[in-house]
Amino acid sequence: PILSTIETGMVNLRSFMKKNIYVSFALNLAIFLLMIFAISCELFDFHFMTDGTFLEKPDFSTFKYFTTDSNIFAGIVSGIFAIFELLVICKKKANLPKALFPLKLAGTIGVTLTMLVTVFYLAPKSDFGYFHLFKNANFFLHFFIPTLYLISFLIFERNDEISFKFTFISLIPTFVYVIFYTLNVLLHLENGKTTYDYDLYGFLDGGIGFAFFVLPFMLIFAYGISFVLWKINKNA
Protein backbone atom coordinates (compact mmCIF):
# COMPACT_ATOMS: atom_id res chain seq x y z
CA PRO A 1 0.00 0.00 0.00
CA ILE A 2 2.83 2.40 0.82
CA LEU A 3 4.63 1.76 -2.48
CA SER A 4 1.36 2.10 -4.34
CA THR A 5 0.70 5.45 -2.66
CA ILE A 6 4.21 6.67 -3.51
CA GLU A 7 3.89 5.56 -7.13
CA THR A 8 0.47 7.23 -7.41
CA GLY A 9 1.97 10.42 -5.97
CA MET A 10 4.83 10.34 -8.49
CA VAL A 11 2.39 9.83 -11.37
CA ASN A 12 0.28 12.75 -10.16
CA LEU A 13 3.42 14.90 -9.82
CA ARG A 14 4.55 14.08 -13.36
CA SER A 15 1.03 14.83 -14.63
CA PHE A 16 1.03 18.14 -12.74
CA MET A 17 4.45 19.12 -14.14
CA LYS A 18 3.35 18.17 -17.66
CA LYS A 19 0.27 20.39 -17.37
CA ASN A 20 2.35 23.19 -15.87
CA ILE A 21 4.69 23.44 -18.85
CA TYR A 22 1.76 24.07 -21.19
CA VAL A 23 0.39 26.85 -18.99
CA SER A 24 3.88 28.26 -18.43
CA PHE A 25 4.52 28.24 -22.18
CA ALA A 26 1.25 30.08 -22.85
CA LEU A 27 2.03 32.67 -20.17
CA ASN A 28 5.61 33.24 -21.36
CA LEU A 29 4.53 33.60 -24.96
CA ALA A 30 1.79 36.04 -23.92
CA ILE A 31 4.25 38.07 -21.84
CA PHE A 32 6.70 38.31 -24.73
CA LEU A 33 4.03 39.42 -27.20
CA LEU A 34 2.48 41.88 -24.75
CA MET A 35 5.90 43.38 -24.09
CA ILE A 36 6.42 43.93 -27.83
CA PHE A 37 2.96 45.50 -28.09
CA ALA A 38 3.38 47.77 -25.04
CA ILE A 39 6.84 49.02 -26.03
CA SER A 40 5.58 49.65 -29.58
CA CYS A 41 2.70 51.69 -28.14
CA GLU A 42 5.19 53.79 -26.19
CA LEU A 43 7.52 54.32 -29.14
CA PHE A 44 4.70 55.38 -31.45
CA ASP A 45 2.61 57.15 -28.81
CA PHE A 46 -0.40 54.91 -29.50
CA HIS A 47 -3.22 55.46 -26.98
CA PHE A 48 -6.00 52.87 -26.76
CA MET A 49 -7.58 53.89 -23.44
CA THR A 50 -7.55 57.69 -23.80
CA ASP A 51 -7.42 60.12 -26.70
CA GLY A 52 -4.15 60.05 -28.56
CA THR A 53 -2.52 59.86 -31.95
CA PHE A 54 -0.94 56.94 -33.72
CA LEU A 55 2.46 56.78 -35.37
CA GLU A 56 3.87 60.01 -34.01
CA LYS A 57 7.63 60.50 -34.06
CA PRO A 58 9.20 57.68 -32.01
CA ASP A 59 10.44 58.75 -28.58
CA PHE A 60 13.41 56.61 -27.63
CA SER A 61 13.77 58.42 -24.31
CA THR A 62 11.40 55.77 -22.97
CA PHE A 63 14.44 53.50 -22.61
CA LYS A 64 15.79 55.59 -19.75
CA TYR A 65 12.93 54.41 -17.52
CA PHE A 66 13.30 51.33 -15.32
CA THR A 67 9.74 50.40 -16.22
CA THR A 68 10.68 50.04 -19.89
CA ASP A 69 14.02 48.34 -19.29
CA SER A 70 12.70 45.86 -16.72
CA ASN A 71 9.79 44.88 -18.96
CA ILE A 72 12.02 44.45 -22.01
CA PHE A 73 14.43 42.26 -20.05
CA ALA A 74 11.56 40.25 -18.57
CA GLY A 75 9.91 39.89 -21.96
CA ILE A 76 13.10 38.65 -23.61
CA VAL A 77 13.62 36.10 -20.82
CA SER A 78 10.03 34.91 -21.25
CA GLY A 79 10.55 34.63 -25.00
CA ILE A 80 13.63 32.45 -24.49
CA PHE A 81 11.79 30.44 -21.84
CA ALA A 82 8.89 29.85 -24.26
CA ILE A 83 11.24 28.62 -27.00
CA PHE A 84 12.81 26.00 -24.76
CA GLU A 85 9.42 25.00 -23.35
CA LEU A 86 8.17 24.45 -26.89
CA LEU A 87 11.18 22.23 -27.57
CA VAL A 88 10.33 20.18 -24.47
CA ILE A 89 6.66 19.99 -25.43
CA CYS A 90 7.66 18.83 -28.93
CA LYS A 91 10.06 16.33 -27.30
CA LYS A 92 13.09 17.89 -28.97
CA LYS A 93 14.63 18.36 -25.52
CA ALA A 94 14.17 16.39 -22.33
CA ASN A 95 14.39 19.25 -19.84
CA LEU A 96 14.62 23.01 -19.59
CA PRO A 97 18.16 24.43 -19.12
CA LYS A 98 18.81 25.17 -15.45
CA ALA A 99 20.16 28.63 -16.32
CA LEU A 100 16.67 29.74 -17.37
CA PHE A 101 15.35 29.77 -13.80
CA PRO A 102 17.80 32.31 -12.31
CA LEU A 103 17.15 34.50 -15.36
CA LYS A 104 13.42 34.22 -14.71
CA LEU A 105 14.02 35.21 -11.09
CA ALA A 106 15.92 38.31 -12.29
CA GLY A 107 13.08 39.20 -14.64
CA THR A 108 10.48 38.72 -11.92
CA ILE A 109 12.43 40.95 -9.52
CA GLY A 110 12.53 43.77 -12.07
CA VAL A 111 8.85 43.82 -13.00
CA THR A 112 7.73 43.24 -9.40
CA LEU A 113 9.82 46.22 -8.28
CA THR A 114 8.32 48.24 -11.13
CA MET A 115 4.77 47.37 -10.07
CA LEU A 116 5.30 47.95 -6.34
CA VAL A 117 7.04 51.31 -6.80
CA THR A 118 4.21 52.41 -9.12
CA VAL A 119 1.41 51.19 -6.84
CA PHE A 120 2.81 52.54 -3.56
CA TYR A 121 4.94 55.53 -4.61
CA LEU A 122 4.47 56.93 -8.11
CA ALA A 123 0.71 56.54 -8.55
CA PRO A 124 -0.24 58.09 -5.18
CA LYS A 125 1.87 61.20 -5.91
CA SER A 126 0.73 61.58 -9.53
CA ASP A 127 -0.76 64.99 -10.38
CA PHE A 128 -3.06 63.33 -12.92
CA GLY A 129 -4.75 60.86 -10.57
CA TYR A 130 -3.83 57.44 -9.20
CA PHE A 131 -4.86 55.40 -12.25
CA HIS A 132 -3.14 57.65 -14.77
CA LEU A 133 -0.06 55.41 -14.57
CA PHE A 134 -2.12 52.33 -15.42
CA LYS A 135 -3.46 53.52 -18.77
CA ASN A 136 -2.47 52.60 -22.31
CA ALA A 137 0.97 50.96 -22.54
CA ASN A 138 1.46 51.46 -18.79
CA PHE A 139 -1.48 49.17 -18.08
CA PHE A 140 0.70 46.34 -19.37
CA LEU A 141 4.07 47.62 -18.15
CA HIS A 142 3.01 48.63 -14.63
CA PHE A 143 0.41 45.97 -13.90
CA PHE A 144 -0.58 43.26 -16.34
CA ILE A 145 2.84 41.93 -17.38
CA PRO A 146 4.20 41.97 -13.79
CA THR A 147 1.06 40.10 -12.65
CA LEU A 148 1.43 37.44 -15.36
CA TYR A 149 5.12 37.15 -14.50
CA LEU A 150 4.38 36.51 -10.82
CA ILE A 151 1.75 33.91 -11.69
CA SER A 152 4.05 32.06 -14.08
CA PHE A 153 7.11 32.12 -11.81
CA LEU A 154 5.44 31.38 -8.48
CA ILE A 155 2.82 28.86 -9.60
CA PHE A 156 3.79 27.20 -12.86
CA GLU A 157 7.61 27.31 -12.73
CA ARG A 158 8.27 26.07 -9.22
CA ASN A 159 11.57 24.24 -8.92
CA ASP A 160 14.68 23.63 -6.83
CA GLU A 161 17.11 24.73 -9.54
CA ILE A 162 17.74 28.22 -8.13
CA SER A 163 20.39 28.17 -5.41
CA PHE A 164 20.44 30.81 -2.67
CA LYS A 165 23.38 32.69 -4.24
CA PHE A 166 21.14 33.68 -7.13
CA THR A 167 19.04 35.84 -4.81
CA PHE A 168 22.07 38.17 -5.02
CA ILE A 169 23.24 37.48 -8.58
CA SER A 170 19.75 38.02 -9.99
CA LEU A 171 19.88 41.60 -8.71
CA ILE A 172 22.61 42.56 -11.22
CA PRO A 173 20.20 44.14 -13.79
CA THR A 174 18.56 46.21 -11.03
CA PHE A 175 21.93 47.16 -9.53
CA VAL A 176 23.24 48.30 -12.93
CA TYR A 177 20.20 50.52 -13.41
CA VAL A 178 20.57 52.07 -9.92
CA ILE A 179 24.22 52.94 -10.68
CA PHE A 180 23.25 54.38 -14.08
CA TYR A 181 20.40 56.38 -12.53
CA THR A 182 22.58 57.80 -9.75
CA LEU A 183 25.46 58.81 -12.03
CA ASN A 184 23.06 60.34 -14.55
CA VAL A 185 21.51 62.51 -11.85
CA LEU A 186 24.84 63.60 -10.35
CA LEU A 187 26.33 64.46 -13.73
CA HIS A 188 23.40 66.69 -14.67
CA LEU A 189 22.84 68.85 -11.61
CA GLU A 190 21.71 72.43 -12.14
CA ASN A 191 22.94 74.83 -9.47
CA GLY A 192 23.55 71.87 -7.24
CA LYS A 193 19.97 70.63 -7.59
CA THR A 194 18.45 67.68 -9.41
CA THR A 195 16.18 68.10 -12.42
CA TYR A 196 13.15 66.07 -13.46
CA ASP A 197 14.81 65.19 -16.78
CA TYR A 198 17.32 63.04 -14.91
CA ASP A 199 15.81 62.39 -11.47
CA LEU A 200 12.97 60.67 -13.29
CA TYR A 201 11.21 59.30 -10.22
CA GLY A 202 11.83 62.21 -7.88
CA PHE A 203 13.78 60.02 -5.47
CA LEU A 204 16.16 62.91 -4.72
CA ASP A 205 13.60 65.72 -4.52
CA GLY A 206 14.75 66.36 -0.96
CA GLY A 207 18.33 67.00 -2.08
CA ILE A 208 21.43 65.09 -3.11
CA GLY A 209 21.92 63.94 0.48
CA PHE A 210 18.88 61.71 0.07
CA ALA A 211 20.92 59.55 -2.32
CA PHE A 212 22.71 58.04 0.67
CA PHE A 213 19.36 56.84 2.00
CA VAL A 214 17.05 56.31 -0.96
CA LEU A 215 19.33 54.38 -3.30
CA PRO A 216 20.65 51.88 -0.71
CA PHE A 217 17.04 51.45 0.43
CA MET A 218 16.00 50.59 -3.13
CA LEU A 219 18.69 47.92 -3.36
CA ILE A 220 17.74 46.47 0.03
CA PHE A 221 14.08 46.55 -0.98
CA ALA A 222 14.93 44.82 -4.27
CA TYR A 223 16.84 42.12 -2.39
CA GLY A 224 13.86 41.63 -0.09
CA ILE A 225 11.73 41.02 -3.17
CA SER A 226 14.37 38.63 -4.54
CA PHE A 227 14.53 36.58 -1.35
CA VAL A 228 10.74 36.36 -0.95
CA LEU A 229 10.25 35.32 -4.58
CA TRP A 230 13.02 32.71 -4.30
CA LYS A 231 11.58 31.32 -1.08
CA ILE A 232 8.02 31.06 -2.38
CA ASN A 233 9.16 29.52 -5.68
CA LYS A 234 11.31 26.97 -3.87
CA ASN A 235 8.78 25.98 -1.21
CA ALA A 236 5.50 26.35 -3.07
Side-chain angles (χ1 to χ4, degrees):
I2 295 176
L3 287 175
S4 176
T5 301
I6 293 174
E7 289 174 356
T8 300
M10 291 179 66
V11 170
N12 290 338
L13 178 62
R14 285 195 294 268
S15 176
F16 178 70
M17 292 176 65
K18 186 176 180 180
K19 292 177 182 178
N20 273 3
I21 197 169
Y22 287 100
V23 179
S24 175
F25 167 72
L27 287 171
N28 280 311
L29 181 60
I31 288 167
F32 176 74
L33 295 177
L34 288 173
M35 181 273 289
I36 296 295
F37 174 72
I39 298 302
S40 297
C41 287
E42 285 215 328
L43 288 176
F44 298 109
D45 198 26
F46 174 50
H47 296 194
F48 52 87
M49 294 176 70
T50 59
D51 293 334
T53 57
F54 183 59
L55 288 179
E56 289 186 351
K57 183 180 179 180
D59 182 11
F60 293 101
S61 65
T62 186
F63 294 106
K64 66 185 179 182
Y65 292 97
F66 185 74
T67 291
T68 303
D69 299 337
S70 63
N71 274 272
I72 290 175
F73 177 78
I76 291 172
V77 170
S78 277
I80 295 171
F81 219 104
I83 290 172
F84 279 100
E85 286 179 319
L86 183 61
L87 291 175
V88 172
I89 291 171
C90 295
K91 298 182 180 180
K92 299 295 184 180
K93 289 185 69 70
N95 298 294
L96 296 174
K98 292 182 179 181
L100 287 179
F101 295 99
L103 280 174
K104 195 65 184 287
L105 173 61
T108 313
I109 293 167
V111 292
T112 302
L113 182 59
T114 288
M115 181 167 66
L116 292 178
V117 169
T118 303
V119 169
F120 294 109
Y121 174 71
L122 296 176
K125 65 179 288 190
S126 172
D127 294 332
F128 302 98
Y130 187 91
F131 292 102
H132 177 74
L133 294 179
F134 297 97
K135 293 181 178 180
N136 299 305
N138 282 328
F139 169 75
F140 296 105
L141 301 177
H142 285 157
F143 173 72
F144 198 54
I145 289 175
T147 299
L148 292 183
Y149 228 81
L150 285 168
I151 291 171
S152 68
F153 182 71
L154 297 180
I155 299 177
F156 299 102
E157 292 156 13
R158 300 176 303 192
N159 66 91
D160 294 319
E161 302 296 342
I162 309 175
S163 64
F164 176 72
K165 66 182 179 181
F166 285 109
T167 61
F168 295 97
I169 297 173
S170 295
L171 285 175
I172 290 176
T174 302
F175 180 76
V176 169
Y177 184 84
V178 168
I179 296 299
F180 162 78
Y181 185 93
T182 305
L183 291 176
N184 210 27
V185 171
L186 295 178
L187 292 173
H188 295 89
L189 297 177
E190 292 184 3
N191 299 318
K193 295 182 179 180
T194 63
T195 64
Y196 172 75
D197 287 339
Y198 297 98
D199 187 13
L200 306 171
Y201 300 107
F203 290 149
L204 306 181
D205 280 349
I208 292 300
F210 273 69
F212 297 101
F213 169 75
V214 175
L215 300 175
F217 173 78
M218 290 301 296
L219 289 175
I220 293 171
F221 183 56
Y223 179 74
I225 293 172
S226 176
F227 179 79
V228 170
L229 291 173
W230 172 79
K231 195 70 173 176
I232 295 175
N233 177 273
K234 187 179 181 68
N235 295 333

